[in-house]
Amino acid sequence: MKKFNIRKVLDGLKEQASSSASSGQSGTQENNLMQETLQSENFQLCKTVRHGFPYQPSSMAHDPVQKILAIGTQSGALRLFGRPGVECYCQHESGAAVISLQFLINEGALVSALADDSVHLWNLRQKRPAILHSLKFNRERITFVHLPFQSKWLYIGTEKGNIHIVNVESFTLSGYVIMWNKAIELSSKAHPGPVVHISDNPMDEGKLIIGYESGIVVLWDLKSKKADYRYTYDEAIHSVAWHHEGKQFICSHSDGTLTIWNIKGQGKPFQTITPHGKQPKDGKKPEPCKPILKVEYKTTRLGDPFMILSGGLSYDTVGRRPCLTVMHGKSTAVLEMDYPIVDFLTLCETPYPNDFQEPYAVVVLLEKDLVVIDLAQNGYPIFENPYPLTIHESPVTCCEYYADCPVDLIPALYSVGSRQKRQGYSKKEWPISGGNWGLGTQSYPEIIITGHADGTVKFWDASAIMLQVLYKLKTAKVFEKSRNNKEEKQNTEIVDEDPFAIQIMAWCPESRMLCVAGVSANLIIYRFSKQEITTEVVQLLEVRLQYEVNDMESPPEGGGGGDRDLPTPGAASPSPQTTGPPTHPSSSSNSSDGVRDNVPCLKVRSTPLKQSPGYQVDLVVQLVWVSGEPPQQITSLALNSSYGLIVFGNSNGLAVVDYLQKTVLLNLGTVELYGSNDPYQRQPRSPRKTRQPSGGNGKDCYQCSTVLLTVSNYRDNSFSRSRSSSVTSIDKEAREAITSFHFCETFARKGDSIITPCLYVGTSLGTVLAVALNLPPAGEQRLLQPVIVLPSGTLGRLKGSILRMAFLDNTGTFLPPAFELWYEPNAVGADSEERDKARKRRPVSVSPSTSQELQESQYAVVCSEKQAKVIALPSQNCIFKHSITETSFVLRADVVQMNIGNCVACFCANGHIMTLSLPGLRPLLDVNYLPLTDMRIARTFCFTNLGQAMYLTSPTEIQRITYSQETCENLQEMLGELFTPVETPEAPNRGFFKGLFGGGATSLDREELFGEMQAGKASRGLAQHIPGPQGLEGMKGAASGVVADLARARIALDERGQKLGELDERTAAMLASADSFGKHAHDMMLKCKDKKWYQF
């Protein structure tokens, strides 16, 4: 039980009385001025859209009339693509892999078959597709699914070799079953294996071809319920394809061969081809090749047919990339792919299987890419992919999301990014062009920035729930390419395998300044320019950030001594810890006794660097090795274009860099920020000594081990309690990492009467520290006079690491940091005058004026891993406090602006998304949204203004969500439509002679054959029917579409006309019969008229 401390109560009452006396009516003023506009009804959480390549794809289907593409994945996801900007994501609840997809062509519906032996019917006529029916098989495993064009009867092949038939309108099983033992020869004792193929003869719907894995193919007569022909080959079958005339079919086999069969010649194949096999001269069989996993056989009206296949390469092609082979006439083209082929589909001009196919493109689904090949152009060029499927080109290591950006930013990025596009694409339009765009009311610009493992940074236009790449920046160009792998490995031992990986990004949209921190403890500062330049020497600063226990335990006289001389605050010239920009690479390297010192992890290039329009390097800052220890990775970063400053920190301390004068202004250990007011007794329990020089009087330095929430774990899918605080439990109290920064114009010290530029620093132990910034006037003086940087004491403490800081004015309005507007840095002539004018202009500051009086206070909003506080300034009294979580911890927190107010948005490790009002910190939203299962989500989750958020849901996909009620309500309008009413093309003309003598396509009354009247009921325990959530009306809506209704109406009219014609014929026949009868009656009357009665 806690002890009751009366002294604390009395102290609190005294403090309250004194503060109320000193500030007069400040309490009532706070209550009056801070009217909170946001309420809980302004918030609602929902997913908006998913971008990127479907992770681990497993199957694909295409609707040739609607021109939409569906891709299923191993996790049960379904991604649907129409024209660029029309995308849709659905998820099967079971999460089982999607093994097959079949469109009900031009009906706005899709059938999916899963690895858990369930079949589902999706309604695509609504903006968010939903399941109408499901059927779960209990006794048999599904291996193949086939739905003939314009048929409502779905064929399902199973592992046992049986074929079941499902009515897709009612999703009920037919009693008609094709059993494997009836399909194969009675004399055959072996089981034929699973069904690997089902399709009907293009010219005769009553004939079904069934392919079994063992190599047996059966032509089944549906009416007579028996096998017409059987075709046997001694190699396993992977796929079967028909010639459109229905007289031949082709099989692909496991030994790399293709066999072509005539349907009436069942003895042996008409032709055997080994596309990639070496043909022996002695006439023997070619050497076996890898299996041909799929083959398609497509005919053209004027030229040779196309045979397209995947696999089948020779076994001696070791290391060769996966290939797609296109055989057309006498030419064979082998198209190499970057990733293994999952599936491919040939796009044809007609949906009818009994017509010339006229193929024009091939869609190839790879493990990590989607490629569409143009078959109509020489060389088979690929189409330029308009979908944002290259997010994962290199693994994503960090993300930032900006909403309501300056309106000129996206056009500027697009103009420089359009020059980076590759050449050699097909000149035709993207063939997957179905659907319609949504009517979005959201008009503000949104930008997503992704940092990648290979050092690239990509800018994406994310406006109006679309995603399009704008510009790509390669940061690795700044560094030398490693020639000596051994030396490079020694230098970069702080990272796993990607030394250029991006760790943190800071961006100012107004000035377009960009700063990226790499995993090798380096910073690169970029300016945006529309002109190309060549940089002769990349300017470099080298910084020693070292954590020394000796300095803390007994500070020597003179400020550190030895090689730890701290720079005087405000010194413009580089201190002994930094190397100036002209001299690089560092001259210091390994000392005579083998201890590495003053060596950066990466070597900046020494040759001239040609920089294209876009982002151009302005300065590189590198942390160097200190006394044999590698630099600690950077954990926090901030940029301010108005002040011309960059600040970064790690588990050792922080450094402030003036990127205009190219100098280090401040380089301090975290402890030294406190001065003499350090509240912690810092005695490391388990320090690790550095290697001392053997002959020198080296000081005992301690390099404590760290656990970082950084990009070095981006391949790790398991979640462990790695904290952004960068400290382990052993040295938690000894090491205090820098976790966040915030530039602002506020009161530097308690009781100040004027506001000044400041830097607020948050640490892993929950402390918020202030650093005052004394800046020279804008213009030339800013470039010549030094910036004075002075630590100014502590603002307050919270539980857990500090994650986010922000400032509000006395009405609760958000105060963003000051910024400078963008100008062309490489301008010449008249443009340079404009640039100078822009530099001399006072930077845009949204803070109150400097003559503000004491009572017109500001409010600092501070959020940590555990709690949030609102602190009044300059009194530094905590006026609001809220405990966010006790059992978990906050991973990401942002102070965001909504349409009618501000709030704090938090994402916790237990999966909760919360919002708190400002400045009152009232809980407005708390949803258990997403349990944190891997580090990727923790690393990439970010909130932005106007109720938007995003995270990387898989290595290849971005999931965007909204927590705004207004956006949720408008989402239905913003989403695109997949289904659009399109007339089905006319069926091919049979021709006069085919109609006269037969030989055209023959239809089959499947309703009569498979219906309950003829086939009976299916076995009860075979499958379980599960109605979808939409109910009966939704089922009817999907089963009878607009196009289907038109077709049915046309058929009904034809039938009515036919019946009317028959009625006319019958009426005419009856008239003729009546005339004949009348004539006979008249003749009889004349004949009998003169006879007497006794003459009869």
Side-chain angles (χ1 to χ4, degrees):
M1 186 173 174
K2 286 186 179 179
K3 290 184 179 178
F4 181 76
N5 194 334
I6 190 68
R7 283 181 61 194
K8 286 188 178 179
V9 176
L10 291 170
D11 288 344
L13 289 169
K14 280 181 188 175
E15 188 178 333
Q16 193 174 6
S18 63
S19 65
S20 62
S22 63
S23 60
Q25 298 175 343
S26 64
T28 56
Q29 189 181 10
E30 279 170 11
N31 291 335
N32 292 337
L33 288 177
M34 294 185 294
Q35 293 293 325
E36 293 183 0
T37 51
L38 286 172
Q39 303 299 326
S40 56
E41 54 264 25
N42 298 123
F43 293 91
Q44 182 184 340
L45 193 71
C46 69
K47 292 181 180 179
T48 53
V49 67
R50 183 173 291 201
H51 302 295
F53 182 77
Y55 184 55
Q56 295 180 331
S58 55
S59 57
M60 179 172 60
H62 178 252
D63 186 327
V65 180
Q66 287 290 320
K67 295 190 184 299
I68 53 175
L69 186 77
I71 296 175
T73 73
Q74 291 181 24
S75 59
L78 202 58
R79 293 284 299 279
L80 295 136
F81 297 91
R83 66 178 59 194
V86 178
E87 291 182 40
C88 185
Y89 160 75
C90 316
Q91 178 69 47
H92 294 91
E93 281 186 19
S94 68
V98 181
I99 59 171
S100 183
L101 292 169
Q102 294 280 317
F103 274 103
L104 276 72
I105 293 172
N106 206 24
E107 290 287 340
L110 176 74
V111 172
S112 60
L114 307 190
D116 66 353
D117 309 310
S118 60
V119 187
H120 308 269
L121 178 67
W122 291 86
N123 178 14
L124 307 183
R125 289 172 174 265
Q126 54 198 57
K127 291 191 173 183
R128 285 191 179 272
I131 291 174
L132 297 166
H133 298 276
S134 297
L135 200 63
K136 180 78 169 68
F137 280 76
N138 299 321
R139 298 180 195 162
E140 299 196 46
R141 306 222 63 183
I142 298 170
T143 56
F144 196 85
V145 173
H146 171 63
L147 180 67
F149 178 47
Q150 293 183 326
S151 168
K152 68 174 184 179
W153 296 96
L154 177 74
Y155 300 107
I156 296 177
T158 69
E159 197 173 47
K160 288 184 178 179
N162 303 324
I163 293 173
H164 301 278
I165 299 163
V166 175
N167 184 322
V168 291
E169 285 184 357
S170 61
F171 242 57
T172 52
L173 273 171
S174 166
Y176 192 112
V177 182
I178 303 171
M179 304 298 288
W180 68 270
N181 53 355
K182 290 186 178 177
I184 64 167
E185 295 273 5
L186 294 174
S187 58
S188 176
K189 294 177 183 177
H191 190 278
V195 175
V196 294
H197 181 83
I198 309 167
S199 61
D200 46 353
N201 187 318
M203 286 295 180
D204 188 353
E205 294 174 356
K207 308 288 186 184
L208 199 67
I209 205 156
I210 306 162
Y212 292 97
E213 191 181 66
S214 63
I216 297 170
V217 179
V218 175
L219 186 68
W220 182 264
D221 189 316
L222 290 167
K223 287 182 180 176
S224 63
K225 299 183 182 179
K226 65 177 185 179
D228 279 357
Y229 298 102
R230 296 179 181 90
Y231 316 89
T232 308
Y233 195 70
D234 54 4
E235 292 291 340
I237 288 176
H238 286 278
S239 71
V240 182
W242 280 102
H243 186 282
H244 84 274
E245 290 180 345
K247 294 175 181 177
Q248 284 185 335
F249 62 88
I250 185 169
C251 302
S252 71
H253 299 277
S254 57
D255 63 346
T257 58
L258 298 171
T259 53
I260 300 173
W261 302 77
N262 289 328
I263 58 168
K264 293 185 178 177
Q266 56 179 329
K268 61 178 184 177
F270 166 73
Q271 189 180 0
T272 303
I273 308 167
T274 311
H276 297 287
K278 294 177 182 176
Q279 297 292 338
K281 293 180 180 178
D282 53 5
K284 292 181 180 177
K285 277 183 74 174
E287 291 179 11
C289 296
K290 294 175 185 176
I292 296 175
L293 300 176
K294 185 174 181 179
V295 63
E296 290 205 343
Y297 194 24
K298 302 297 178 185
T299 54
T300 57
R301 201 174 295 275
L302 299 174
D304 294 313
F306 282 88
M307 251 188 268
I308 302 160
L309 54 115
S310 62
L313 292 178
S314 173
Y315 279 106
D316 59 10
T317 53
V318 180
R320 190 169 181 180
R321 293 190 294 180
C323 294
L324 186 83
T325 305
V326 180
M327 300 170 70
H328 183 226
K330 293 181 179 178
S331 71
T332 300
V334 180
L335 310 175
E336 287 194 343
M337 302 291 157
D338 290 335
Y339 306 101
I341 296 170
V342 176
D343 196 4
F344 73 88
L345 292 169
T346 311
L347 306 189
C348 301
E349 297 287 354
T350 177
Y352 292 94
N354 58 352
D355 195 9
F356 287 98
Q357 302 299 289
E358 304 295 347
Y360 60 89
V362 182
V363 182
V364 189
L365 179 63
L366 308 176
E367 278 188 3
K368 294 184 179 180
D369 202 1
L370 182 73
V371 176
V372 181
I373 299 160
D374 187 351
L375 290 178
Q377 286 189 41
N378 290 333
Y380 304 129
I382 63 169
F383 288 85
E384 185 177 7
N385 198 321
Y387 305 135
L389 302 183
T390 58
I391 292 167
H392 63 288
E393 204 168 23
S394 172
V396 176
T397 52
C398 58
C399 299
E400 291 298 334
Y401 189 7
Y402 299 87
D404 209 10
C405 301
V407 291
D408 59 343
L409 197 51
I410 288 174
L413 288 165
Y414 182 79
S415 67
V416 294
S418 59
R419 305 177 193 185
Q420 299 176 327
K421 288 189 175 179
R422 284 174 49 194
Q423 301 298 317
Y425 290 113
S426 169
K427 295 175 183 177
K428 293 184 179 178
E429 288 188 8
W430 182 250
I432 301 157
S433 56
N436 283 324
W437 292 307
L439 304 170
T441 53
Q442 257 177 243
S443 57
Y444 51 85
E446 297 173 75
I447 290 177
I448 290 172
I449 308 178
T450 53
H452 299 263
D454 64 353
T456 56
V457 176
K458 289 182 183 178
F459 291 78
W460 304 82
D461 177 6
S463 310
I465 68 167
M466 291 189 184
L467 195 70
Q468 181 184 11
V469 71
L470 291 170
Y471 174 72
K472 183 177 174 181
L473 172 67
K474 295 180 179 178
T475 64
K477 286 183 177 178
V478 178
F479 302 102
E480 296 278 5
K481 289 182 180 176
S482 58
R483 292 195 180 95
N484 188 339
N485 291 331
K486 188 177 180 182
E487 184 185 336
E488 188 70 22
K489 194 172 183 183
Q490 283 182 336
N491 280 3
T492 60
E493 65 180 53
I494 63 165
V495 296
D496 290 340
E497 53 194 69
D498 293 302
F500 305 114
I502 306 297
Q503 188 167 4
I504 313 173
M505 298 177 291
W507 188 51
C508 175
E510 289 79 15
S511 67
R512 305 181 191 172
M513 290 295 298
L514 173 70
C515 183
V516 295
V519 75
S520 297
N522 59 277
L523 282 175
I524 311 173
I525 299 156
Y526 288 93
R527 288 183 183 274
F528 185 85
S529 173
K530 294 181 178 179
Q531 298 179 16
E532 185 177 296
I533 60 164
T534 300
T535 306
E536 295 298 325
V537 178
V538 176
Q539 295 198 311
L540 170 68
L541 281 176
E542 290 182 349
V543 180
R544 291 166 63 95
L545 262 183
Q546 187 179 14
Y547 179 83
E548 297 201 29
V549 178
N550 280 1
D551 282 355
M552 292 184 297
E553 290 178 341
S554 55
E557 294 176 11
D563 64 341
R564 263 302 264 175
D565 289 335
L566 295 173
T568 308
S573 59
S575 70
Q577 293 172 302
T578 62
T579 308
T583 57
H584 83 279
S586 173
S587 56
S588 309
S589 60
N590 291 8
S591 58
S592 57
D593 53 5
V595 176
R596 302 180 68 79
D597 198 34
N598 284 348
V599 180
C601 295
L602 296 172
K603 189 177 179 183
V604 174
R605 65 183 292 164
S606 53
T607 54
L609 177 63
K610 185 180 177 182
Q611 304 201 69
S612 302
Y615 275 100
Q616 299 170 349
V617 181
D618 190 53
L619 177 67
V620 177
V621 182
Q622 287 186 299
L623 296 183
V624 295
W625 287 60
V626 179
S627 304
E629 290 294 337
Q632 296 297 300
Q633 291 178 343
I634 293 164
T635 57
S636 50
L637 173 68
L639 173 153
N640 189 284
S641 59
S642 172
Y643 308 154
L645 301 180
I646 292 284
V647 59
F648 62 94
N650 62 12
S651 57
N652 289 338
L654 66 87
V656 181
V657 173
D658 181 344
Y659 65 77
L660 297 176
Q661 297 186 27
K662 310 290 190 288
T663 57
V664 177
L665 301 175
L666 187 71
N667 179 3
L668 286 179
T670 316
V671 182
E672 293 159 321
L673 282 170
Y674 288 96
S676 59
N677 299 320
D678 186 6
Y680 300 107
Q681 297 294 320
R682 299 170 192 270
Q683 295 293 331
R685 298 175 195 167
S686 178
R688 177 164 62 90
K689 289 190 179 183
T690 60
R691 298 180 291 277
Q692 289 189 22
S694 55
N697 298 320
K699 292 162 63 178
D700 285 359
C701 302
Y702 293 94
Q703 183 75 35
C704 302
S705 60
T706 60
V707 179
L708 287 168
L709 178 62
T710 63
V711 297
S712 57
N713 298 325
Y714 66 79
R715 299 181 195 280
D716 182 17
N717 286 331
S718 61
F719 178 73
S720 59
R721 182 68 164 85
S722 296
R723 298 273 299 276
S724 57
S725 58
S726 306
V727 289
T728 62
S729 58
I730 294 175
D731 52 25
K732 181 176 178 182
E733 291 185 10
R735 302 296 294 277
E736 186 171 11
I738 306 295
T739 56
S740 64
F741 295 111
H742 188 78
F743 284 103
C744 52
E745 291 192 9
T746 185
F747 303 95
R749 294 173 184 81
K750 186 173 183 177
D752 275 6
S753 59
I754 58 168
I755 61 169
T756 55
C758 293
L759 167 68
Y760 274 76
V761 181
T763 74
S764 59
L765 296 186
T767 308
V768 180
L769 300 145
V771 177
L773 306 171
N774 191 343
L775 297 160
E780 285 190 21
Q781 292 184 62
R782 171 66 184 84
L783 301 175
L784 299 173
Q785 295 182 23
V787 178
I788 309 300
V789 183
L790 289 170
S792 305
T794 306
L795 176 66
R797 286 186 191 87
L798 284 78
K799 291 180 184 175
S801 297
I802 303 296
L803 298 177
R804 191 69 59 200
M805 295 171 282
F807 286 80
L808 310 175
D809 68 8
N810 56 1
T811 63
T813 305
F814 180 70
L815 294 174
F819 57 84
E820 182 181 63
L821 293 173
W822 177 79
Y823 60 86
E824 175 54 65
N826 302 318
V828 290
D831 292 335
S832 65
E833 290 177 16
E834 288 293 323
R835 179 192 66 191
D836 294 338
K837 283 180 185 176
R839 279 184 172 174
K840 288 174 185 173
R841 276 201 307 265
R842 180 171 174 79
V844 179
S845 172
V846 286
S847 300
S849 64
T850 51
S851 61
Q852 188 181 31
E853 294 181 10
L854 181 62
Q855 62 263 27
E856 291 181 309
S857 56
Q858 293 180 353
Y859 302 101
V861 181
V862 187
C863 188
S864 76
E865 290 181 320
K866 292 287 186 181
Q867 59 183 184
K869 283 186 179 181
V870 175
I871 300 165
L873 298 176
S875 66
Q876 296 191 0
N877 292 330
C878 176
I879 57 168
F880 294 109
K881 179 178 171 183
H882 177 74
S883 178
I884 299 171
T885 176
E886 292 292 339
T887 56
S888 185
F889 59 99
V890 179
L891 284 163
R892 176 81 184 211
D894 286 288
V895 175
V896 294
Q897 295 170 270
M898 305 292 282
N899 280 331
I900 57 170
N902 309 309
C903 67
V904 180
C906 306
F907 173 56
C908 294
N910 60 7
H912 283 250
I913 290 177
M914 300 180 231
T915 59
L916 307 172
S917 70
L918 282 178
L921 300 179
R922 290 180 298 108
L924 300 174
L925 176 77
D926 187 353
V927 177
N928 187 3
Y929 169 71
L930 178 80
L932 187 65
T933 50
D934 62 52
M935 291 296 293
R936 187 189 312 105
I937 298 168
R939 196 179 58 250
T940 58
F941 199 103
C942 43
F943 296 98
T944 188
N945 294 333
L946 301 170
Q948 308 294 331
M950 61 151 283
Y951 59 94
L952 221 68
T953 186
S954 74
T956 63
E957 294 168 293
I958 284 174
Q959 177 67 57
R960 289 166 68 180
I961 61 174
T962 182
Y963 47 97
S964 159
Q965 169 69 29
E966 184 185 355
T967 308
C968 288
E969 287 176 355
N970 296 332
L971 185 60
Q972 196 68 14
E973 290 180 17
M974 294 160 62
L975 293 171
E977 288 181 294
L978 284 165
F979 179 81
T980 51
V982 179
E983 191 73 39
T984 304
E986 285 188 15
N989 191 358
R990 291 172 64 187
F992 175 74
F993 289 106
K994 283 188 178 177
L996 190 63
F997 300 110
T1002 56
S1003 60
L1004 172 75
D1005 188 349
R1006 293 190 179 96
E1007 185 71 44
E1008 184 184 335
L1009 197 61
F1010 303 143
E1012 197 175 308
M1013 292 286 289
Q1014 181 78 18
K1017 289 186 177 180
S1019 172
R1020 274 191 183 180
L1022 182 62
Q1024 177 189 357
H1025 177 253
I1026 306 160
Q1030 285 200 328
L1032 207 61
E1033 289 182 17
M1035 298 176 197
K1036 288 177 182 174
S1040 58
V1042 175
V1043 180
D1045 285 344
L1046 286 169
R1048 288 190 184 100
R1050 193 181 293 112
I1051 292 164
L1053 282 169
D1054 290 345
E1055 287 176 355
R1056 189 175 169 218
Q1058 191 177 345
K1059 285 175 181 175
L1060 284 169
E1062 288 174 2
L1063 187 63
D1064 284 343
E1065 287 174 10
R1066 284 180 192 168
T1067 308
M1070 283 176 70
L1071 280 168
S1073 175
D1075 286 343
S1076 175
F1077 178 77
K1079 195 175 180 182
H1080 280 294
H1082 184 67
D1083 289 345
M1084 183 67 75
M1085 185 265 296
L1086 290 174
K1087 190 176 181 181
C1088 301
K1089 185 173 71 168
D1090 298 328
K1091 287 190 179 180
K1092 303 292 182 187
W1093 62 270
Y1094 50 83
Q1095 290 178 329
F1096 285 100

